[in-house]
Amino acid sequence: MKNLTLKDIAKALDISVTTVSKALQNYPDVSPKTKKRVKEYAEKVNFKPNSFAAYLRTHESKTVGIVIPRLNHYFFSSILRGIITEAEKHEYMTFILCSDESYELEKIQIERLINKNVDGIFLSIADKTHDLGHIQNIIDKETSLVIFDKYSKLTACSSVVIDDQKAAYTAVEHLIKKGKTKIAHFRGPLLPQNSIDRFLGYRKALDDYGLEYDKDLVFICDDINDTEGYNHMQTILDEKIEIDAIFAVADLPAVGAMNCLLENNIKIPEEVSVIGFSNWLISSLITPSLSTIDQPGELMGRKAFQVFMNEREMKKKKKKVEFKKYEIETTLIERDST
Amino acid sequence: MKNLTLKDIAKALDISVTTVSKALQNYPDVSPKTKKRVKEYAEKVNFKPNSFAAYLRTHESKTVGIVIPRLNHYFFSSILRGIITEAEKHEYMTFILCSDESYELEKIQIERLINKNVDGIFLSIADKTHDLGHIQNIIDKETSLVIFDKYSKLTACSSVVIDDQKAAYTAVEHLIKKGKTKIAHFRGPLLPQNSIDRFLGYRKALDDYGLEYDKDLVFICDDINDTEGYNHMQTILDEKIEIDAIFAVADLPAVGAMNCLLENNIKIPEEVSVIGFSNWLISSLITPSLSTIDQPGELMGRKAFQVFMNEREMKKKKKKVEFKKYEIETTLIERDST
DNA sequence: CTGAAAGCGCTTACAG
DNA sequence: CTGAAAGCGCTTACAG
């Protein structure tokens, strides 16, 4: 079944292609009568203009792309959901690509999106990304860019993030208020800003409450998964490091740590409290349920798309776009592990 | 920064646009010398042909679309990963849309994809889909279609699925071999073929091992989540229905049931064994860890894309495409809950 | 208010 | 082996 074209409609109604095109786009210089005829007919035959042909003239592809570091990841899936849902409302389609936390792959994926002429790119910078030239590249083309989750001070674009430092502070403060004094931190890798910020929030809470910072209580998770949490906890036990609480950079390492504690019959939260970060589905389903910081992914995704749309409108009106850092609120979720 | 065009290259090398185009596509009627010049230059300036313009001639968009019922869903995320990874290898880009298990939305999403001129659509039919007219619609256009996860006998297309009946049989057989005789089934909704098949596998295992089927031990999960599993288990306790095992249609209801059992201090697996289905990440992380059926999503996704590519090749060679049902192997994963 | 014409950036049948 | 020309399906400046 061949797709209908403007030409087909023009022929059927015995008017010109030009008039059909203008009528469908509501040009003011088409008579109401003609407009009505055209629109009714187009509706009847379910005509949709070919987006590829339209692009060639308008340079709008009505397409955006997302690059995320992980695909099978609760938080990023929530973000996807937010972006896609909002995109649909505005008749946008969304390409998904994954960087696998690799700098090289991230570069390639961005290039792919640029070559597909997307109108905008949504990016969460990979953990291993140490250089932002490829991101500058997006900005140099006329493609819009919105960064989410991972913030970077260095790029000329808007970002939708949370206040990681504040959120981490809240988590650690919560542990302190529960009477904990020897709080370990399972932190993320060294490069990404959010793992740095969560670490800083941890330190600040210790400082503010007069607890001494002990670098031997900080463990790095290079991959943010349960195994790393488990292993770090095992190390703590093996080396008899004294702790009474853990603040983990994310829920999975927290869950890993809890499983190690459970296997060793260490009581949670009485002997060791554990708090995670992100509020993955799993955190409410395990026993004991995991206290955590809720990081509203879907909301962040929606916001990111809205920012993109606004900036696009501004550009179309030739107004100057001001880049902003949008911060989404997080909440402390108290459960049984603290 | 304007994008380069064939024209720019032609001008730079002082040859015609035609020759540039042919050289880049390795036409045999271009001299090796010219080819080399063109290719080297194109490489140097990082030229990529505009895919929208190319589409207008070739009617290949190098774009596919996926419609899944759930976005934040471990199994579907694995499938996404499989399809996207394979698509990338073949220079395809992937649109993601979500039907939210709704028939109406599924219809709309498919129409959207068709209007974006995707070369192929990958679909897991929504639970609420009761009519397949919109799917026939894809087939009527020249768009390729591959169905995955949810199988339907009625559509003229290939599908990549598991043998749900056999997999369910294996799960229930496992419970029986552990000495369980009063096995409840938390089944999925009535419509989708896979929830029917898992139910049939359950019944067949009971039959084969001489256990009587008792319809009062079958509970329907309309939404396949933990809450439904929890609630059904609560009902069983409230109504003092005697069971010694549960086979759940998926991991989440199994986890919900386990949480209800734990709260009531009922020993797993001694008093009640629980087995799930799918092998979500969570099943290995909870305590006790959940036995389940591994359903290799990423593999299914890869296979689905390969099927699409093969059928596309066939079509290009004007050969007849034969639709097949590809079955991916599942494995029983024994853990602590059985 | 309507429409002929140019052009977006490609591909390819055809002529030389 | 090379290139002029037509055409994919739109949009829009321009003429009438």
Side-chain angles (χ1 to χ4, degrees), chain A residues 321-336:
Chain A
V321 177
E322 268 184 58
F323 299 123
K324 282 193 196 147
K325 181 172 162 188
Y326 298 87
E327 279 183 354
I328 305 293
E329 282 301 312
T330 54
T331 340
L332 171 70
I333 311 266
E334 283 196 51
R335 296 207 184 91
D336 300 337

Side-chain angles (χ1 to χ4, degrees), chain B residues 63-66 92 113 117-122 143-145 308 312:
Chain B
T63 274
V64 294
I66 307 180
Y92 268 83
L113 288 174
N117 307 292
V118 295
D119 296 337
I121 294 179
F122 299 88
T143 316
S144 302
L145 171 67
F308 157 75
R312 217 172 154 69

Side-chain angles (χ1 to χ4, degrees), chain B residues 5-6 18 21 25 27 47 50 53 57:
Chain B
T5 67
L6 287 184
T18 305
S21 175
Q25 285 176 91
Y27 268 53
F47 169 78
N50 182 311
R57 295 304 315 253

